[in-house]
Amino acid sequence: MTMLSSGFELSVDVLRQRQNVKWGKYGADVLPAWVAEMDFAVAHPIQRTMERMVADHDYGYPNRGGNHGDGTLVEAFSNRMKSRFGWEVDPSLILPLSDLVQGTFSTILALSDPGDGVILQLPAYPPFHEAINSTGRRLLAHRLHPTEDGWRHEPGSLAKLVDATTKIILLCNPQNPTGRVFEQAELEEIGRVAIERDLVILSDEIHADLIYGGAKHIPIATLSPEIAARTITITSATKGFNIPGLRCGVLYFGSAELKARFHARFPARVLGSPGITGIDTTVAAWNHGQDWLEAVLEQLDANRHRMVNFINAELPAIRTSLPEATYLGWLDCSRLGLSGTAHDFFLEHAKIGFSAGEAFDPNGHQFVRFNFATSGRILDQILGRMADAVRSNARG
Ligand SMILES: Cc1ncc(COP(=O)(O)O)c(C=O)c1O
């Protein structure tokens, strides 16, 4: 395998050989910077876990402790929440699952009815739109606006959105695609409105491992017992440790009452359960992957500065802000004066596959989401191609 200097970077040749969506979607002339996967080799403890499983032909139904054979995962989640956030979770309220989007859909189906309102921060991860729209719920858009301190809600705007049939606030923290990490006061406002208007908070915290210096992730369920009691948190090791294809995550109910309400409509069996590769690698990541994560975060930190500094210096018509978390940049290209969408422009003229802004916000045609979790060399190529395309477009 062709490795570069940092020990986890992979060459373009290796990346193109892998059968994943990121490198498989576009032709060989395109550099992909879209779906949330990193172009990095995984932590050694994860790789060793897979190798052991293969060597032992360990492919039976999992028997890893606990009532459902996934006790090691429940324990690793509990320990990680305690060590990272000082959060004491109740193991009986943890529901392991294979797919966090399943967790979003099932929560919306279980805890609201067709026609009910679900509040969603905009712009938002596309499956959140789908989870609300395809189930016949009403999407109530809680817009984030660009400010000097990154993307923020207008203070007081949340309470105004809630109507008589609003049931759920879908929170994404850290936020995809803007990279915001919500501060305590912002989370407290969400919690206060949820309590006053009797709403469930569905908090997707999948990006919580990918935080840069200066920002602090606060699981909203840790703010108070009253907020916890109405919060379902979903998280996994898949983004932080780059194992999305291994399909494993956790849904955590903040109270037994919430869990009972969920299961009354959605028996656990409907969700299936994670397989052994997902369980064991997630446990390896959470228990033994921290050194790797910190090394990767150093590289991502350098990349986010490189991306923003380059854009500010060379492409000042594109507006963006430094993400506080995630490896995703949210780029406003509306001042480029493009005739079509920003995604199509960069695909056609720069041969870069970004995520299309309109998938995150119906008004987002002039935005793209930039996945910068790649080697410095590939990142520089992407930035160079962007600059060339924008300059030749400006020359007409
Ligand atoms: C906010 C958010 N939630 C959920 C997911 C899906 O995670 P998974 O496919 O690992 O369940 C992603 C993937 O990018 C995401 O960004």
Side-chain angles (χ1 to χ4, degrees), residues 104-122:
T104 302
F105 270 74
S106 55
T107 299
I108 288 175
L109 287 168
L111 302 179
S112 66
D113 291 299
D116 284 347
V118 177
I119 294 174
L120 179 65
Q121 300 167 312
L122 280 198

Side-chain angles (χ1 to χ4, degrees), residues 35-37 97-104 125-128 171-177 204-207 234-239 243-249 326-328 360 369:
V35 70
E37 296 183 17
L97 72 179
S98 58
D99 182 323
L100 288 198
V101 175
Q102 241 180 353
T104 302
Y125 175 59
F128 292 158
L171 168 68
C172 183
N173 182 35
Q175 216 262 344
N176 173 3
D204 182 323
E205 303 187 8
I206 193 172
H207 293 278
I234 54 180
T235 196
S236 73
T238 58
K239 294 295 126 181
I243 48 173
L246 297 180
R247 312 276 73 214
C248 182
T326 77
Y327 43 75
L328 308 167
F360 296 77
R369 191 190 70 171

Side-chain angles (χ1 to χ4, degrees), residues 389-396:
V390 169
R391 282 184 197 127
S392 56
N393 185 56
R395 280 195 298 271

